[in-house]
Amino acid sequence: MLVAVAHGSRDPRSAATVAALADEVRRQHPEFDVRVSFLDLSAPRLPDVLAAVAAEGNRRAVVVPLLLGHAFHARVDVPGEVSRAVRRHPQLDIATADVLGGSSLLEAAALERLAAVAGSLDDPRLGVVLAAIGSSHAPANAAVAQVVSGWTRRFGWAGGTAAFATTTEPTVPQAIAALREQGAQRVAVAQWILAPGLLPDAIARAARAAGPDLLLASPLAAHPAIAALVAARYTAAANTPATSRAAG
């Protein structure tokens, strides 16, 4: 039993995107029983889904966090909900998979979204902003910066930088301005974000305000590589006989 858990949003596009991602996982792996859940703001919530899984008589479930980094939700919220579910449903063995970050599949999806708006990525005139929501957990933000730094070296861009919608700097406008000052003749904003929503919309508005020539990639959404990554995280956790492991 694969129980995918996303953060949740008041924006219905977010839940619809998560549902589409689950459908893509099912398409790739029709043998998987995939359930969708959320931590907050959207339904069904993770505790309710795990309760339903237990009530159906299942003995094993793997919670797969649809989270891109090891920030608060991955370190606290998901493990806490899983621990409570284990106490409520002792007959259900619950494992927790790792987050989606740190995978070449995640980077491949983001680069494909970027190439869809920027064309060939082997362009020394290009500057790239990798935009994320941002976290109070500094290592989570540093991981985003590390990703775009690796891309910059790989493709020989004029520059590459992370930017954040909340909590920390640089903001998207600051990052765009810095790349232009460094000599980037073309600037693109890639989104290190799974689904559309209020904060991704804010990132998009800030990017478009930087000028009509600004290139803006889509969120990662139900990209086939993301679905393959969800399946890989599930398989790795399902094959490890441990109960209630915390993500990351």
Side-chain angles (χ1 to χ4, degrees):
M1 179 71 65
L2 190 167
V3 179
V5 58
H7 177 269
S9 170
R10 293 185 177 87
D11 189 323
R13 294 174 300 164
S14 178
T17 299
V18 173
L21 176 58
D23 285 342
E24 176 61 19
V25 175
R26 295 183 188 103
R27 188 194 68 79
Q28 293 183 15
H29 294 276
E31 73 277 15
F32 288 177
D33 187 345
V34 182
R35 311 290 176 92
V36 169
S37 67
F38 300 91
L39 290 171
D40 197 11
L41 302 175
S42 302
R45 301 290 178 86
L46 178 58
D48 298 329
V49 172
L50 290 174
V53 168
E56 292 169 8
N58 294 286
R59 298 299 182 192
R60 174 81 163 162
V62 176
V63 174
V64 181
L66 303 182
L67 303 170
L68 303 189
H70 296 282
F72 185 85
H73 300 303
R75 295 181 297 110
V76 178
D77 288 341
V78 172
E81 293 290 7
V82 169
S83 295
R84 286 186 284 274
V86 167
R87 292 194 294 272
R88 293 185 190 116
H89 314 290
Q91 76 280 17
L92 182 63
D93 181 22
I94 307 173
T96 305
D98 198 3
V99 298
L100 303 183
S103 169
S104 60
L105 287 169
L106 183 61
E107 294 194 36
L111 287 170
E112 187 169 314
R113 294 285 193 238
L114 177 61
V117 298
S120 173
L121 299 182
D122 295 308
D123 183 357
R125 302 171 302 158
L126 184 64
V128 173
V129 177
L130 185 57
I133 298 300
S135 170
S136 58
H137 186 57
N141 300 326
V144 181
Q146 185 176 8
V147 168
V148 71
S149 177
W151 293 353
T152 304
R153 291 191 300 271
R154 173 180 170 185
F155 294 106
W157 294 334
T161 182
F164 305 96
T166 63
T167 307
T168 190
E169 293 184 340
T171 64
V172 170
Q174 288 170 342
I176 293 170
L179 288 174
R180 286 174 170 161
E181 289 175 4
Q182 292 172 24
Q185 298 173 41
R186 302 170 64 231
V187 177
V189 175
Q191 297 198 52
W192 199 243
I193 295 167
L194 274 184
L198 300 179
L199 287 173
D201 281 355
I203 287 173
R205 286 193 300 270
R208 294 189 181 103
D213 58 340
L214 196 288
L215 305 167
L216 176 63
S218 300
L220 303 177
H223 191 287
I226 302 298
L229 175 54
V230 171
R233 292 291 194 244
Y234 164 75
T235 300
N239 290 335
T240 302
T243 300
S244 184
R245 294 193 315 280

